[in-house]
């Protein structure tokens, strides 16, 4: 079965330090992977995606993610964290093909990032 | 740009009542979906649609109905509200049914069932 896991409920990091939010996946076939961010009382916003190509993917707000096929991981990273990066982060993966002719998305449970001033 | 618009933003219902959560997008997106967000459970897919007149069930469809009569609108109906349906509901859309397209989300409807 297709699945995605975010092993940390919360990550704390000091402002200016590098941050990593972890995501691992289990899929059959090539993975399509996404990161989204959710600020309080808002919907999810797309950050970046990996479909194919370079293992290091750059996205919005200075975030990047590293795809590692052997470890089945897609960790989100940022070299220098800002207090404004504090939010809930979701990893998502393409699920199984459906009879409607599309794929469903499967979301992780989310990781709350807290950047401390 | 309006994007994905959800109404209402907040709603309190009594058990057994019915209501419709509205979702509209102005991006001419083919794919639309409804999720519910519960603490510690991430987002779970309720129903989705790949175009007008086509809908399908997600992983938690019981107690919910949807229809897609136009490309723009994708309402979610609660037939007989239950306390277990207390949640935050998100509507999302993407350009096509291609799975490499990111989804655009509305700001959610916070629903409490008493």
């Amino acid at each position: 079965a297709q699945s995605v896991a975010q092993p940390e409920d919360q990550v704390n990091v000091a402002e200016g330090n590098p941050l990593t939010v972890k995501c691992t996946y289990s899929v059959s076939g090539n993975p399509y992977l996404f990161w989204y961010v959710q600020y309080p009382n808002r919907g999810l916003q797309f950050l970046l995606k990996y479909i194919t190509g370079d293992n290091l993917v750059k996205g919005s707000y200075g975030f990047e993610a590293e795809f590692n096929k052997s470890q089945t991981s897609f960790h989100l990273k940022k070299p220098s964290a800002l207090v404004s990066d504090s939010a809930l982060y979701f990893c998502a993966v393409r699920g199984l093909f459906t009879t409607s002719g599309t794929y469903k998305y499967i979301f992780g449970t989310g990781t709350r990032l807290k950047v401390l001033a | 740009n309006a994007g994905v618009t959800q109404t209402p933003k907040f709603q309190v219902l009594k058990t057994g009542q019915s209501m419709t959560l509205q979702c509209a997008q102005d991006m001419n997106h083919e794919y639309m979906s409804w999720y519910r967000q519960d603490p510690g459970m991430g987002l779970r897919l309720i129903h989705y649609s790949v175009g007008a007149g086509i809908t399908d069930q997600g992983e938690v469809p019981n107690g919910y109905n949807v229809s897609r009569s136009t490309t723009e609108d994708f309402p979610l109906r609660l037939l007989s509200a239950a306390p277990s349906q207390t949640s935050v509901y998100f509507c999302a859309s993407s350009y096509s049914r291609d799975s490499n397209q990111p989804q655009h989300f509305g700001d959610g409807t916070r629903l409490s069932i008493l």
Side-chain angles (χ1 to χ4, degrees):
Chain A
Q2 322 283 79
S3 65
V4 61
Q6 294 182 243
E8 301 156 319
D9 290 336
Q10 182 159 321
V11 170
N12 294 330
V13 64
E15 188 174 31
N17 282 3
L19 69 87
T20 298
V21 182
K22 295 180 180 177
C23 173
T24 59
Y25 65 89
S26 174
V27 300
S28 53
N30 294 324
Y32 284 20
L33 297 156
F34 302 81
W35 275 104
Y36 290 84
V37 60
Q38 184 182 31
Y39 298 102
N41 299 315
R42 300 299 302 275
L44 278 67
Q45 297 177 33
F46 169 71
L47 277 178
L48 49 80
K49 66 180 180 182
Y50 173 83
I51 305 299
T52 187
D54 205 351
N55 288 346
L56 186 64
V57 179
K58 294 192 183 297
S60 305
Y61 311 122
F63 284 93
E64 57 190 27
E66 186 168 12
F67 171 67
N68 187 316
K69 188 171 183 177
S70 63
Q71 296 187 2
T72 62
S73 67
F74 188 54
H75 299 333
L76 182 70
K77 301 183 179 188
K78 188 173 183 183
S80 179
L82 299 172
V83 172
S84 57
D85 293 329
S86 298
L88 189 57
Y89 290 81
F90 288 96
C91 183
V93 68
R94 181 181 72 173
L96 293 173
F97 193 71
T98 72
T99 55
S100 298
T102 188
Y103 294 85
K104 300 177 190 177
Y105 295 89
I106 301 170
F107 285 82
T109 53
T111 298
R112 189 163 300 282
L113 173 67
K114 212 173 230 185
V115 181
L116 308 168
Chain B
N1 291 339
V4 179
T5 302
Q6 291 185 239
T7 55
K9 293 191 185 307
F10 303 93
Q11 185 70 49
V12 178
L13 292 178
K14 294 181 180 178
T15 298
Q17 287 184 314
S18 63
M19 81 161 293
T20 298
L21 280 61
Q22 301 292 343
C23 175
Q25 52 92 7
D26 62 357
M27 298 172 282
N28 200 32
H29 282 176
E30 185 179 29
Y31 180 96
M32 296 186 75
S33 54
W34 276 102
Y35 295 88
R36 58 178 290 174
Q37 182 180 21
D38 301 292
M41 303 192 74
L43 272 72
R44 292 182 291 169
L45 183 64
I46 305 172
H47 286 285
Y48 64 100
S49 168
V50 297
I54 307 170
T55 63
D56 208 345
Q57 294 182 351
E59 58 179 311
V60 288
N62 292 342
Y64 307 95
N65 273 359
V66 291
S67 60
R68 184 101 179 265
S69 55
T70 67
T71 300
E72 294 78 19
D73 299 300
F74 190 44
L76 178 72
R77 296 183 189 84
L78 277 71
L79 307 173
S80 177
S84 61
Q85 294 178 305
T86 293
S87 187
V88 183
Y89 291 85
F90 288 99
C91 179
S93 71
S94 62
Y95 178 65
S96 75
R97 62 184 74 184
D98 289 338
S99 54
N100 62 355
Q101 297 299 318
Q103 294 185 83
H104 299 253
F105 285 80
D107 284 338
T109 293
R110 285 145 187 85
L111 184 62
S112 291
I113 315 295
L114 304 177

